[in-house]
């Protein structure tokens, strides 16, 4: 009963380094999301994938890229990390429905520090 | 634009007392509203949602929320607080499907920290 699994849980990067956050879900959901959480700002959407083969920008996409590898996996890449990208990153998934009331399920988070 | 506000950064309540965590929203069209809870160093857990129907929605762990259309509010409530309820609570509203390709992206409030004291 894993749900949404993301790795790594903790990472420290130097400015300019690159890294990829991995995410997989086992709920057969069509839609997947990457959010970042910063103190006092709630969660902000970075990118989302409404269905396999599609990705779209969210509120704060700059400095990030994503890949929807298959229906299960959705990765987030930081090409050149900056201190402003220090944050907690959450992957999430849901059914895709134009009715829109579907629950979004979250992973446990990845704590990223850029020094 | 869709938005959600949680006017209180922190709510303090004594164990056994009723609790309320406030949320107001601004949407065009029918509101789809959600509450999530986050325990320290953990991901967000779904508590409850309002899509349509009865204004009083019951969720996990004894929580409930009341949808009030005239006041554009969706406050989270629990009749008797537990110390274990201490956590960060997020209200969220679904983005306008016209702008999101019909898929349910959520817009989150800033969060309210609930502290329940013994």
């Amino acid at each position: 009963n894993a749900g949404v699994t993301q790795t790594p849980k903790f990472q420290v990067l130097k400015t300019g380094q690159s890294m990829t956050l991995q995410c997989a879900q086992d709920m057969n959901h069509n839609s997947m999301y990457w959010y970042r959480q910063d103190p006092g700002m709630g969660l902000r959407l970075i990118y989302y994938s409404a269905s396999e083969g599609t990705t779209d920008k969210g509120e704060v996409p700059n400095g990030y890229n994503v890949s929807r590898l298959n229906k299960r996996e959705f990765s987030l890449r930081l090409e050149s990390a900056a201190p402003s990208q220090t944050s907690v990153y959450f992957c999430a998934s849901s059914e895709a429905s134009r009715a829109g009331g579907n629950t979004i399920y979250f992973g446990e988070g990845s704590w990223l520090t850029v020094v | 634009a869709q938005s959600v506000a949680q006017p209180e950064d922190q709510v303090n309540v004594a164990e056994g007392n009723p609790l309320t965590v406030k949320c107001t929203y601004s949407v065009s069209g029918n509101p789809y509203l959600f509450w999530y809870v986050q325990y320290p160093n953990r991901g967000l857990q779904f508590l409850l949602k309002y899509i349509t129907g009865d204004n009083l929605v019951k969720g996990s762990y004894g929580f409930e929320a009341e949808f009030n259309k005239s006041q554009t509010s969706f406050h989270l409530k629990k009749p008797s607080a537990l110390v274990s309820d201490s956590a960060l609570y997020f209200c969220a509203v679904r983005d306008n499907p016209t702008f999101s390709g019909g898929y349910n992206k959520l817009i989150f409030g800033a969060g309210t920290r609930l502290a329940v004291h013994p």
Side-chain angles (χ1 to χ4, degrees):
Chain A
N1 194 18
V4 180
T5 304
Q6 52 181 113
T7 57
K9 185 140 179 116
F10 300 99
Q11 184 72 49
V12 178
L13 285 179
K14 293 183 179 179
T15 297
Q17 285 186 318
S18 62
M19 77 159 296
T20 299
L21 298 176
Q22 307 287 352
C23 176
Q25 52 90 10
D26 63 2
M27 295 176 282
N28 202 35
H29 286 163
N30 287 306
S31 298
M32 297 186 72
Y33 315 81
W34 276 105
Y35 284 88
R36 60 176 288 173
Q37 181 182 24
D38 301 292
M41 302 185 73
L43 278 77
R44 292 179 293 168
L45 184 65
I46 304 171
Y47 271 92
Y48 71 103
S49 171
S51 60
E52 186 179 356
T54 68
T55 60
D56 286 283
K57 295 179 180 179
E59 298 174 72
V60 288
N62 292 344
Y64 304 96
N65 285 300
V66 291
S67 295
R68 184 72 183 267
L69 305 170
N70 49 53
K71 189 172 184 178
R72 289 186 65 248
E73 299 173 287
F74 187 40
S75 63
L76 178 72
R77 183 162 177 84
L78 287 69
E79 291 290 352
S80 179
S84 61
Q85 294 178 303
T86 294
S87 188
V88 184
Y89 292 85
F90 289 98
C91 180
S93 71
S94 74
E95 292 292 346
S97 168
R98 291 184 182 273
N102 296 307
T103 301
I104 294 181
Y105 295 91
F106 287 82
E108 291 288 287
S110 296
W111 275 253
L112 176 64
T113 301
V114 183
V115 298
Chain B
Q2 320 285 74
S3 65
V4 62
Q6 295 180 243
E8 302 156 316
D9 291 336
Q10 179 152 333
V11 170
N12 297 297
V13 64
E15 187 174 30
N17 284 359
L19 70 88
T20 299
V21 182
K22 295 180 180 177
C23 173
T24 59
Y25 65 89
S26 174
V27 303
S28 53
N30 295 324
Y32 291 176
L33 298 156
F34 299 78
W35 275 103
Y36 284 83
V37 59
Q38 184 182 29
Y39 297 101
N41 300 318
R42 303 295 299 277
L44 276 72
Q45 297 180 29
F46 169 74
L47 277 179
L48 51 81
K49 65 183 177 184
Y50 172 82
I51 304 301
T52 187
D54 194 347
N55 289 344
L56 185 63
V57 180
K58 293 189 183 296
S60 305
Y61 312 122
F63 284 93
E64 58 190 27
E66 185 170 11
F67 171 66
N68 188 317
K69 188 172 183 178
S70 62
Q71 297 186 5
T72 62
S73 66
F74 189 56
H75 301 331
L76 182 70
K77 300 180 180 183
K78 187 173 182 180
S80 178
L82 299 172
V83 173
S84 58
D85 292 330
S86 299
L88 188 57
Y89 290 80
F90 289 98
C91 183
V93 63
R94 193 197 72 165
D95 195 9
N96 188 323
T98 302
F99 304 123
S100 63
Y103 297 100
N104 54 327
K105 298 184 299 178
L106 292 183
I107 295 171
F108 285 85
T112 298
R113 189 164 301 280
L114 173 67
V116 182
H117 305 284

